[in-house]
Amino acid sequence: MNLALINGKAFIKGKLVKANILIQGKKIEKISASKIKADKEIDCKGKIILPGAIDVHVHFRSPGFEYKEDFFTGSLAALHGGITTIMDMPNTKPVTSTVKALEAKRKLVKKHCLTNFGIYMAALNNNLSEISKAKNLRAVKLYYGSTTGNILMNKKTAIEKLFKTAKKKGFVVAVHAEDEEIMKENEKKFRKSKDPAIHEKIRNEEAEAKAIKEVLSIQQKAGNKIHIAHISSEKGLNLVKKAKKRRNGNKVTCEVTPHHLFLDSSDYKKLGNLIKCNPSIKGAKHRKALFNGLKNKAIDLVATDHAPHSFKEKKQSYGKSPSGIPGEETMLPLLLDAVNKKQISLKRIVEAVSEKPAQVFGWKNKGFIKTGFDADLVIINPTGKYKVENNKLFTKAAYSPWNGKTLKGRVENTIIGGQVFG
Ligand code: NCD
Ligand code: ZN
Ligand code: ZN
């Protein structure tokens, strides 16, 4: 059985072109401007076909926190959002810090996950031997500042060793970059306040900038691949920009989340702890700097940092409410909406959600629509409307900061390894 996507426009070699796509098994068999015959056809008239998004930063919470999310619900949310590959973070229970935990998680994920997946290992001050033993490891996560899960690695000598191993083995080190001491000091200062907006003052620009500076200076000597996760501030971004120009700068990349692109501190008033996340949502000047950074390629890619918690947990007071925002279903519609508003080009979006994530994290045969590549595709109605509604979301979190908002750009079907969903 083969499948043809006919009459649509596909994003190929940097632009939209009329193309019929033949899918055989899990692969793209043929791309042609002329007619293609197949056992099954999907008429894509008026639609655009993009390479599926690769989300390099998600928390699907299993094992250990299945009441927040699991790999079935998380991946269901992903494919409704046009995401065909996810990379899951290690702050689960147990933490993915040993080969045993990694292998157990891989087995579990394989059973329940509808999308392609990669699994991060956590780097700790004392688990380098485990990381060295792990097979097929694309990336490790270094929590330089603490966040949900309270995993921490901020001993310089241990980080130097990790980076040397990363260089030797070729895996990426993704970093949660916030300075522990600055955050602790700020916490003391604002202890009495219950206003969610103080999150921005506790996890401030200085905390991010100091951490980024420190990890990048270790990377400069070691020469490993380093990826700064969820960048949130102007200073942080400027440090990454500078680092990209110096020695070993070609190994430096960073990501921005949809919530740091589309929300700013003025949103705390209405949304409160629902937008409490780490690093914090900051002022409008930061949001603008990040948006420009995405446009001018200072920021390499967009990842969701999909971090679901139960609504009940999120509705607690500032001190108790856990940090994190779900984002699988809204990333692509938000970005397509921005394209429709002429705020950014479609080309830049495809680079940021498909092409660059594939290149940085070594997803061979993914990220591009090319003959011989995996048939991971998303069919989009570019002018179709998508209304975000909490009660229609597939994530167990079942809330979104964009609840009630209508976005222009609708995911119609997602194809993963030739299998059609939607
Ligand atoms: C993440 C979580 O809940 O796992 N929370 C968050 O606010 N981003 C952890 C993280 O990515 O820092
Ligand atoms: Zn983080
Ligand atoms: Zn995260």
Side-chain angles (χ1 to χ4, degrees), residues 57 59 141 143 147 175-177 229-230 278-279 305:
H57 189 158
H59 301 265
K141 181 67 177 285
Y143 292 95
T147 178
V175 185
H176 180 112
H230 45 43
N278 305 336
D305 189 12

